[in-house]
Amino acid sequence: MRPGSPAGEYGELQRLVDALYAVNPSKAVSRMDVLVRAEVDDLGDDLMEIVRLLPGGTYKRYRLCDQLNSIITAHGWAYLYGTVE
């Protein structure tokens, strides 16, 4: 990876969110659902750290995205890994 360029994992968190809500976009998922899916998708260490920092509870899509984006931004990783919608 060149300095200042997005990581190879750019967009992986968006794919994770899309997969979690693919069947039923209006459902709520638990923190555990997100962790398990992230492990199944074999996310890298930095991305797993983001997922592990999620507070406990259940999340509708918009709330999960807000939480993930807050964590991503706090770590300064938005350019490297992208944000989620």
Side-chain angles (χ1 to χ4, degrees):
M1 176 175 71
R2 291 180 319 156
S5 64
E9 296 91 358
Y10 187 92
E12 288 295 318
L13 288 174
Q14 183 64 56
R15 286 185 277 283
L16 171 73
V17 170
D18 290 343
L20 286 166
Y21 295 97
V23 174
N24 185 354
S26 63
K27 74 176 178 180
V29 297
S30 69
R31 178 181 184 270
M32 185 59 70
D33 293 331
V34 181
L35 283 168
V36 169
R37 183 63 197 222
E39 288 178 4
V40 167
D41 290 352
D42 197 27
L43 295 185
D45 292 338
D46 287 343
L47 299 180
M48 285 303 298
E49 180 178 343
I50 292 167
V51 173
R52 285 187 195 106
L53 288 170
L54 280 171
T58 58
Y59 298 92
K60 297 281 190 168
R61 185 180 181 121
Y62 69 89
R63 185 163 175 253
L64 177 62
C65 291
D66 284 348
Q67 289 291 327
L68 289 172
N69 287 335
S70 292
I71 296 165
I72 292 164
T73 302
H75 280 82
W77 287 340
Y79 182 74
L80 283 176
Y81 299 116
T83 55
V84 294
E85 305 178 338

